[in-house]
Amino acid sequence: MTTTGPSAQKPLAGWRVLVPRGGPWGDSVAADLRAKGASPVVAASNKYAPTADAPALERALERLAAGEFDWMTVTSATTVDVLSAQRAVVPPTTRVAAVGETTAAALTAAGYHVDLVPAEDNSARGLLAEWEAATQGVVPLRILTLRSEIAKPLLTEGLRRIGHDVESVVAYRTVGVAVPEKVVEDVRAGLVQAILVTSGSVAQQVQEQLGPIPESTLVAAIGPQTARDARDYGLRVDVIAAERTAASLIEAVAAAASSRAAS
């Protein structure tokens, strides 16, 4: 029998869910959580700061505008923010690969073209897995990879192993932000039913500022790589989103909530 009552329409009713990022992304996720009955708690655990090597980024963007790269890879929406702030020009001769749908959407919204998004796995691993087929095996290609300071160079190293000429540049740094004390107290008291973990840097801050997380609190990771990073920091992960998107992450939490309610 299909359930059509309030619990099916509002699977997160009564749940307080910690959203670890503010800004437009946090506002959008909070709205989607409310639509499912949750009470979102938006508390940014980190912020993004300019790269420590601004001249290197400026030089790379000048070369990009001059058409010196065959491809550029973008692995986060924050990198798109940096491109916009720098008024970076991506010529039509340079193809753009986005690590996932969220990053691709950010690129499109900022006015940039997107030529490749992994069809199966929205991650650096997924992009590498589909790279040769997408580029018809052409080697070497001149590739600019933009990344955060703390990001593991998985994509850069993988492309170099294939034989490509890769320039890897740090686009931004991630800096921890103190979570409000009331939020810390509520999490430790078990008054927050779920925590969204959207990156390794978020996982680090959650563990350092809020840990140890109560067993009753559901910890949801946005993808396999984020889950691995979280566990490396000692943070327990209970569920992993099927796709590396905010919508999929919320669906994973809603499914877990429904499962708990039924047990």
Side-chain angles (χ1 to χ4, degrees):
M1 182 174 68
T2 302
T3 302
T4 58
S7 61
Q9 297 169 13
K10 303 284 187 180
L12 292 176
W15 278 51
R16 296 181 72 205
V17 180
L18 180 62
V19 180
R21 286 177 59 185
W25 188 93
D27 293 341
S28 175
V29 170
D32 290 343
L33 285 167
R34 290 190 191 96
K36 292 189 177 294
S39 297
V41 180
V42 180
S45 61
N46 52 41
K47 66 179 180 180
Y48 304 100
T51 174
D53 192 355
L57 177 62
E58 290 170 6
R59 286 193 299 271
L61 295 182
E62 286 173 359
R63 292 182 60 203
L64 174 67
E68 294 186 24
F69 296 104
D70 299 308
W71 280 84
M72 174 178 71
T73 65
V74 183
T75 56
S76 72
T78 303
T79 301
V80 181
D81 293 339
V82 173
L83 289 171
S84 295
Q86 295 284 336
R87 298 182 179 178
V89 174
V90 182
T93 53
T94 300
R95 304 186 74 187
V96 179
V99 78
E101 295 171 2
T102 301
T103 303
L107 281 162
T108 300
Y112 296 108
H113 61 273
V114 181
D115 301 284
L116 173 61
V117 184
E120 298 295 330
D121 178 7
N122 281 190
S123 70
R125 294 177 191 276
L127 187 56
L128 276 173
E130 298 181 31
W131 185 268
E132 290 190 68
T135 58
Q136 290 78 49
V138 175
V139 178
L141 292 168
R142 298 165 301 167
I143 305 171
L144 172 63
T145 60
L146 298 173
R147 61 183 180 84
S148 73
E149 186 178 53
I150 63 171
K152 296 175 182 177
L154 175 68
L155 183 57
T156 297
E157 292 177 354
L159 292 170
R160 283 176 176 159
R161 277 197 300 272
I162 297 171
H164 295 300
D165 179 8
V166 183
E167 179 169 345
S168 179
V169 178
V170 173
Y172 63 92
R173 294 177 295 126
T174 304
V175 181
V177 175
V179 173
E181 188 59 35
K182 180 64 167 63
V183 175
V184 176
E185 292 172 357
D186 285 354
V187 170
R188 291 179 178 170
L191 300 178
V192 172
Q193 283 69 43
I195 298 175
L196 306 184
V197 179
T198 55
S199 67
S201 58
V202 166
Q204 179 182 14
Q205 293 303 319
V206 167
Q207 178 65 5
E208 291 181 357
Q209 296 194 52
L210 308 177
I213 305 302
E215 289 293 327
S216 60
T217 301
L218 185 82
V219 180
I222 201 167
Q225 184 58 55
T226 296
R228 285 189 287 269
D229 291 342
R231 289 165 180 148
D232 286 346
Y233 287 119
L235 180 65
R236 184 189 81 251
V237 174
D238 300 302
V239 297
I240 302 172
E243 299 176 6
R244 198 173 178 270
T245 64
S248 182
L249 182 60
I250 293 171
E251 285 298 332
V253 174
S258 297
S259 178
R260 287 189 180 187
S263 63

